Amino acid sequence: MTIIEILSLVLLGTGAFFFLAGSIGLMRMPDRFTRLHALTKADNVGLGLIVLGLMPLAPDVRDALKLGLIWILVAVAGATGAHLIAKRAVRDDGEDSH
Amino acid sequence: MTTLLAAFDLLLSLTLLGLAVAALTSAEPRRGVILFIAFGLLLALVWARLRAPDLALAEAAIGAGLSGALMLAAARRARRRRSPETAPRPSEEQP
Amino acid sequence: MIAYLLIITLVLMLSIVVGLVRVAIGPTPSDRMMAAQLMGTSGIGVILLLAPVVEVSALIDVALIFALLAAVAVAAFTRRRVTESGG
Protein backbone atom coordinates (compact mmCIF):
# COMPACT_ATOMS: atom_id res chain seq x y z
CA MET A 1 0.00 0.00 0.00
CA THR A 2 1.50 3.28 -1.08
CA ILE A 3 1.57 6.51 0.87
CA ILE A 4 -1.01 8.00 -1.49
CA GLU A 5 -3.45 5.22 -0.71
CA ILE A 6 -2.99 5.63 3.04
CA LEU A 7 -3.63 9.37 2.74
CA SER A 8 -6.74 8.65 0.70
CA LEU A 9 -8.01 6.15 3.28
CA VAL A 10 -7.54 8.64 6.11
CA LEU A 11 -9.39 11.35 4.17
CA LEU A 12 -12.26 9.00 3.34
CA GLY A 13 -12.56 7.88 6.95
CA THR A 14 -12.67 11.47 8.19
CA GLY A 15 -15.33 12.32 5.61
CA ALA A 16 -17.47 9.37 6.70
CA PHE A 17 -17.07 10.53 10.32
CA PHE A 18 -18.39 13.97 9.38
CA PHE A 19 -21.38 12.40 7.64
CA LEU A 20 -22.10 10.29 10.71
CA ALA A 21 -21.78 13.33 13.00
CA GLY A 22 -24.13 15.29 10.74
CA SER A 23 -26.80 12.60 10.78
CA ILE A 24 -26.53 12.18 14.55
CA GLY A 25 -26.94 15.94 14.86
CA LEU A 26 -29.97 15.80 12.59
CA MET A 27 -31.57 13.31 14.96
CA ARG A 28 -30.55 14.74 18.33
CA MET A 29 -30.57 18.53 17.97
CA PRO A 30 -33.54 20.25 19.61
CA ASP A 31 -34.83 22.67 16.93
CA ARG A 32 -34.58 23.14 13.22
CA PHE A 33 -31.92 25.85 13.16
CA THR A 34 -29.43 23.75 15.10
CA ARG A 35 -30.36 20.81 12.91
CA LEU A 36 -29.64 22.93 9.84
CA HIS A 37 -26.27 23.80 11.36
CA ALA A 38 -25.40 20.13 11.86
CA LEU A 39 -26.56 19.31 8.36
CA THR A 40 -24.48 21.86 6.47
CA LYS A 41 -21.30 20.64 8.18
CA ALA A 42 -21.97 17.14 6.92
CA ASP A 43 -22.79 18.43 3.46
CA ASN A 44 -19.79 20.60 2.82
CA VAL A 45 -16.96 19.17 4.90
CA GLY A 46 -17.96 15.50 4.69
CA LEU A 47 -18.42 15.40 0.94
CA GLY A 48 -15.36 17.62 0.47
CA LEU A 49 -13.17 15.16 2.37
CA ILE A 50 -14.63 12.20 0.49
CA VAL A 51 -13.98 13.92 -2.85
CA LEU A 52 -10.42 14.73 -1.75
CA GLY A 53 -9.92 11.12 -0.74
CA LEU A 54 -11.24 9.79 -4.03
CA MET A 55 -9.19 12.15 -6.20
CA PRO A 56 -5.90 10.16 -5.95
CA LEU A 57 -7.79 6.99 -6.89
CA ALA A 58 -9.32 8.49 -10.03
CA PRO A 59 -8.08 6.85 -13.25
CA ASP A 60 -7.13 10.11 -15.00
CA VAL A 61 -6.95 13.84 -14.45
CA ARG A 62 -10.27 14.51 -16.17
CA ASP A 63 -12.19 12.40 -13.67
CA ALA A 64 -10.36 14.01 -10.78
CA LEU A 65 -11.33 17.47 -12.04
CA LYS A 66 -14.92 16.32 -12.41
CA LEU A 67 -14.90 15.20 -8.78
CA GLY A 68 -13.76 18.67 -7.79
CA LEU A 69 -16.55 20.22 -9.86
CA ILE A 70 -19.11 18.04 -8.05
CA TRP A 71 -17.89 19.28 -4.71
CA ILE A 72 -18.07 22.92 -5.81
CA LEU A 73 -21.63 22.38 -7.05
CA VAL A 74 -22.70 20.68 -3.81
CA ALA A 75 -21.14 23.43 -1.71
CA VAL A 76 -22.91 26.18 -3.67
CA ALA A 77 -26.24 24.33 -3.72
CA GLY A 78 -25.97 23.44 -0.03
CA ALA A 79 -25.23 27.00 1.04
CA THR A 80 -28.06 28.42 -1.06
CA GLY A 81 -30.51 25.78 0.08
CA ALA A 82 -29.65 26.17 3.75
CA HIS A 83 -30.08 29.93 3.45
CA LEU A 84 -33.47 29.52 1.74
CA ILE A 85 -34.75 27.02 4.29
CA ALA A 86 -33.58 29.13 7.22
CA LYS A 87 -35.14 32.30 5.80
CA ARG A 88 -38.39 30.50 5.23
CA ALA A 89 -38.36 29.16 8.78
CA VAL A 90 -37.54 32.57 10.30
CA ARG A 91 -40.34 34.31 8.41
CA ASP A 92 -42.71 31.51 9.39
CA ASP A 93 -44.60 31.75 6.15
CA GLY A 94 -47.65 29.95 7.42
CA GLU A 95 -46.93 26.72 5.63
CA ASP A 96 -44.74 25.41 8.42
CA SER A 97 -47.66 24.83 10.76
CA HIS A 98 -48.32 21.43 9.23
CA MET B 1 -15.75 -8.10 0.21
CA THR B 2 -18.68 -10.23 -0.98
CA THR B 3 -20.22 -10.06 2.49
CA LEU B 4 -19.86 -6.30 2.55
CA LEU B 5 -21.43 -6.00 -0.89
CA ALA B 6 -24.30 -8.25 0.21
CA ALA B 7 -24.82 -6.12 3.32
CA PHE B 8 -24.89 -3.00 1.17
CA ASP B 9 -27.43 -4.57 -1.21
CA LEU B 10 -29.62 -5.69 1.68
CA LEU B 11 -29.55 -2.25 3.33
CA LEU B 12 -30.32 -0.56 0.00
CA SER B 13 -33.26 -2.86 -0.76
CA LEU B 14 -34.77 -2.61 2.72
CA THR B 15 -34.46 1.18 2.72
CA LEU B 16 -36.09 1.34 -0.71
CA LEU B 17 -39.00 -0.84 0.42
CA GLY B 18 -39.44 1.16 3.62
CA LEU B 19 -39.47 4.41 1.64
CA ALA B 20 -42.05 3.05 -0.79
CA VAL B 21 -44.38 1.98 2.02
CA ALA B 22 -43.92 5.29 3.86
CA ALA B 23 -44.57 7.34 0.70
CA LEU B 24 -47.68 5.36 -0.21
CA THR B 25 -49.24 5.41 3.26
CA SER B 26 -48.52 9.09 3.92
CA ALA B 27 -51.66 11.06 4.74
CA GLU B 28 -50.25 14.52 4.12
CA PRO B 29 -49.43 15.32 0.46
CA ARG B 30 -46.25 17.29 1.07
CA ARG B 31 -44.76 14.57 3.26
CA GLY B 32 -45.58 12.03 0.58
CA VAL B 33 -43.90 14.14 -2.10
CA ILE B 34 -40.68 14.56 -0.12
CA LEU B 35 -40.67 10.82 0.57
CA PHE B 36 -41.16 10.28 -3.16
CA ILE B 37 -38.13 12.45 -3.93
CA ALA B 38 -36.08 10.40 -1.50
CA PHE B 39 -37.42 7.24 -3.12
CA GLY B 40 -36.26 8.40 -6.55
CA LEU B 41 -32.83 9.10 -5.10
CA LEU B 42 -32.55 5.60 -3.64
CA LEU B 43 -33.80 4.07 -6.89
CA ALA B 44 -31.03 5.90 -8.75
CA LEU B 45 -28.57 4.38 -6.27
CA VAL B 46 -29.97 0.94 -7.08
CA TRP B 47 -29.45 1.53 -10.81
CA ALA B 48 -25.90 2.70 -10.10
CA ARG B 49 -25.24 -0.46 -8.11
CA LEU B 50 -26.60 -2.57 -11.00
CA ARG B 51 -24.01 -0.92 -13.31
CA ALA B 52 -26.59 0.99 -15.35
CA PRO B 53 -25.40 4.61 -15.27
CA ASP B 54 -27.79 5.64 -18.07
CA LEU B 55 -30.83 4.53 -16.11
CA ALA B 56 -29.44 6.15 -12.97
CA LEU B 57 -29.04 9.42 -14.89
CA ALA B 58 -32.61 9.31 -16.16
CA GLU B 59 -34.00 8.41 -12.74
CA ALA B 60 -32.07 11.18 -11.00
CA ALA B 61 -33.05 13.81 -13.57
CA ILE B 62 -36.68 12.89 -14.21
CA GLY B 63 -37.78 10.88 -11.19
CA ALA B 64 -36.17 12.72 -8.32
CA GLY B 65 -35.53 16.16 -9.81
CA LEU B 66 -38.20 17.35 -12.20
CA SER B 67 -41.28 15.40 -11.15
CA GLY B 68 -40.36 16.05 -7.52
CA ALA B 69 -40.37 19.81 -8.12
CA LEU B 70 -43.63 19.61 -10.09
CA MET B 71 -45.33 17.51 -7.42
CA LEU B 72 -44.24 19.91 -4.68
CA ALA B 73 -46.00 22.72 -6.54
CA ALA B 74 -49.05 20.51 -7.11
CA ALA B 75 -49.25 19.53 -3.43
CA ARG B 76 -49.12 23.17 -2.36
CA ARG B 77 -51.96 24.14 -4.72
CA ALA B 78 -54.07 21.16 -3.72
CA ARG B 79 -53.80 22.06 -0.04
CA ARG B 80 -54.66 25.71 -0.71
CA ARG B 81 -57.72 24.78 -2.70
CA ARG B 82 -58.94 22.29 -0.12
CA SER B 83 -58.74 24.65 2.87
CA PRO B 84 -59.02 28.28 1.76
CA GLU B 85 -59.70 29.59 5.26
CA THR B 86 -56.44 28.32 6.75
CA ALA B 87 -54.24 29.07 3.77
CA PRO B 88 -52.70 32.56 3.61
CA ARG B 89 -54.67 34.82 1.31
CA PRO B 90 -52.89 35.72 -1.91
CA SER B 91 -53.46 39.44 -1.51
CA GLU B 92 -51.54 39.47 1.79
CA GLU B 93 -48.64 37.64 0.28
CA GLN B 94 -47.91 40.26 -2.33
CA PRO B 95 -44.70 42.09 -1.42
CA MET C 1 -8.85 -1.16 -0.75
CA ILE C 2 -12.23 -2.03 -2.30
CA ALA C 3 -13.40 -3.48 1.02
CA TYR C 4 -12.47 -0.25 2.74
CA LEU C 5 -14.44 1.75 0.17
CA LEU C 6 -17.42 -0.50 0.84
CA ILE C 7 -17.19 0.11 4.59
CA ILE C 8 -17.26 3.87 3.97
CA THR C 9 -20.24 3.32 1.64
CA LEU C 10 -22.07 1.45 4.40
CA VAL C 11 -21.47 4.34 6.81
CA LEU C 12 -22.96 6.74 4.24
CA MET C 13 -25.94 4.39 3.79
CA LEU C 14 -26.45 4.55 7.54
CA SER C 15 -26.54 8.33 7.24
CA ILE C 16 -29.19 7.97 4.49
CA VAL C 17 -31.30 5.75 6.76
CA VAL C 18 -31.09 8.31 9.58
CA GLY C 19 -32.17 11.00 7.14
CA LEU C 20 -35.09 8.81 6.12
CA VAL C 21 -36.22 8.52 9.73
CA ARG C 22 -36.07 12.31 10.05
CA VAL C 23 -38.09 12.71 6.84
CA ALA C 24 -40.73 10.35 8.20
CA ILE C 25 -41.08 11.85 11.70
CA GLY C 26 -39.90 15.44 11.10
CA PRO C 27 -42.32 17.83 12.78
CA THR C 28 -42.14 20.59 10.15
CA PRO C 29 -41.74 20.50 6.36
CA SER C 30 -38.43 22.36 6.75
CA ASP C 31 -37.06 19.41 8.71
CA ARG C 32 -38.18 17.04 6.01
CA MET C 33 -36.53 19.08 3.28
CA MET C 34 -33.30 19.36 5.27
CA ALA C 35 -33.22 15.62 5.75
CA ALA C 36 -33.89 15.12 2.04
CA GLN C 37 -30.91 17.37 1.35
CA LEU C 38 -28.73 15.25 3.62
CA MET C 39 -29.94 12.14 1.83
CA GLY C 40 -29.06 13.74 -1.51
CA THR C 41 -25.53 14.59 -0.40
CA SER C 42 -25.01 11.14 1.08
CA GLY C 43 -26.35 9.66 -2.16
CA ILE C 44 -23.73 11.61 -4.11
CA GLY C 45 -21.08 10.22 -1.79
CA VAL C 46 -22.37 6.66 -2.21
CA ILE C 47 -22.38 6.97 -6.01
CA LEU C 48 -18.85 8.40 -6.06
CA LEU C 49 -17.65 5.55 -3.85
CA LEU C 50 -19.48 2.96 -5.93
CA ALA C 51 -17.75 4.09 -9.14
CA PRO C 52 -14.41 2.35 -8.32
CA VAL C 53 -16.20 -0.60 -6.67
CA VAL C 54 -18.36 -1.61 -9.64
CA GLU C 55 -15.75 -0.19 -12.08
CA VAL C 56 -18.15 2.08 -13.99
CA SER C 57 -16.53 5.50 -14.23
CA ALA C 58 -19.64 6.99 -15.90
CA LEU C 59 -21.21 7.06 -12.42
CA ILE C 60 -19.35 10.33 -11.82
CA ASP C 61 -21.68 11.96 -14.37
CA VAL C 62 -24.66 10.62 -12.43
CA ALA C 63 -23.29 12.28 -9.30
CA LEU C 64 -22.93 15.52 -11.25
CA ILE C 65 -26.63 15.42 -12.20
CA PHE C 66 -27.51 14.66 -8.56
CA ALA C 67 -25.58 17.73 -7.44
CA LEU C 68 -27.35 19.90 -10.00
CA LEU C 69 -30.86 18.72 -9.20
CA ALA C 70 -30.55 18.91 -5.42
CA ALA C 71 -30.70 22.70 -5.78
CA VAL C 72 -33.83 22.47 -7.97
CA ALA C 73 -35.77 20.51 -5.36
CA VAL C 74 -34.88 22.90 -2.54
CA ALA C 75 -35.73 25.93 -4.68
CA ALA C 76 -39.09 24.40 -5.63
CA PHE C 77 -39.79 23.66 -1.98
CA THR C 78 -39.03 27.15 -0.69
CA ARG C 79 -40.87 29.01 -3.46
CA ARG C 80 -43.30 31.16 -1.58
CA ARG C 81 -45.94 32.75 -3.73
CA VAL C 82 -47.98 31.34 -6.58
CA THR C 83 -48.88 33.95 -9.19
CA GLU C 84 -52.64 34.05 -9.26
CA SER C 85 -52.88 34.84 -12.96
CA GLY C 86 -50.86 31.73 -13.70
CA GLY C 87 -53.45 29.67 -11.82
Side-chain angles (χ1 to χ4, degrees):
Chain A
M1 190 175 281
T2 60
I3 190 90
I4 296 276
E5 280 189 337
I6 292 174
L7 179 70
S8 150
L9 292 190
V10 169
L11 283 172
L12 286 177
T14 321
F17 168 75
F18 266 93
F19 265 104
L20 213 54
S23 53
I24 289 173
L26 194 67
M27 281 313 287
R28 305 275 310 172
M29 288 292 192
D31 66 25
R32 41 188 180 187
F33 298 107
T34 49
R35 283 199 281 262
L36 195 59
H37 164 84
L39 174 80
T40 44
K41 300 303 162 294
D43 264 14
N44 295 321
V45 184
L47 195 74
L49 285 172
I50 284 191
V51 161
L52 272 184
L54 280 174
M55 266 183 181
L57 304 178
D60 54 8
V61 181
R62 192 167 146 267
D63 279 359
L65 286 180
K66 226 189 269 177
L67 284 172
L69 178 63
I70 289 173
W71 179 58
I72 292 175
L73 272 176
V74 168
V76 170
T80 314
H83 197 90
L84 283 175
I85 291 176
K87 202 158 79 177
R88 185 175 176 281
V90 165
R91 278 201 196 129
D92 203 12
D93 274 345
E95 295 189 61
D96 268 355
S97 49
H98 296 253
Chain B
M1 155 102 191
T2 321
T3 320
L4 281 174
L5 210 53
F8 174 70
D9 291 350
L10 198 67
L11 192 57
L12 198 56
S13 318
L14 286 181
T15 316
L16 194 71
L17 276 178
L19 259 176
V21 170
L24 281 178
T25 58
S26 169
E28 194 206 336
R30 174 170 296 218
R31 178 172 179 267
V33 171
I34 296 182
L35 282 168
F36 176 80
I37 294 177
F39 175 81
L41 203 142
L42 262 284
L43 193 56
L45 283 189
V46 170
W47 290 127
R49 165 71 185 88
L50 292 174
R51 303 179 192 200
D54 45 353
L55 284 175
L57 263 176
E59 178 60 41
I62 302 169
L66 292 184
S67 62
L70 288 177
M71 283 161 83
L72 273 175
R76 176 171 36 216
R77 284 180 201 194
R79 199 158 57 78
R80 174 173 302 189
R81 187 157 302 163
R82 196 180 306 144
S83 55
E85 70 277 359
T86 57
R89 278 190 294 281
S91 58
E92 291 175 356
E93 283 187 69
Q94 302 283 347
Chain C
M1 191 67 202
I2 295 293
Y4 193 82
L5 289 185
L6 272 172
I7 292 173
I8 304 278
T9 314
L10 277 176
V11 173
L12 292 200
M13 277 303 291
L14 208 65
S15 164
I16 288 187
V17 172
V18 172
L20 166 62
V21 172
R22 183 46 88 181
V23 170
I25 68 172
T28 64
S30 297
D31 286 312
R32 299 210 168 101
M33 205 61 223
M34 270 180 235
Q37 209 183 344
L38 175 73
M39 290 174 77
T41 315
S42 312
I44 293 173
V46 170
I47 285 188
L48 288 180
L49 287 162
L50 270 182
V53 172
V54 300
E55 290 165 348
V56 180
S57 65
L59 286 183
I60 295 181
D61 297 332
V62 180
L64 207 55
I65 296 290
F66 259 64
L68 279 173
L69 287 175
V72 174
V74 176
F77 172 75
T78 50
R79 207 179 53 156
R80 207 153 63 90
R81 180 166 54 84
V82 181
T83 53
E84 290 305 309
S85 57

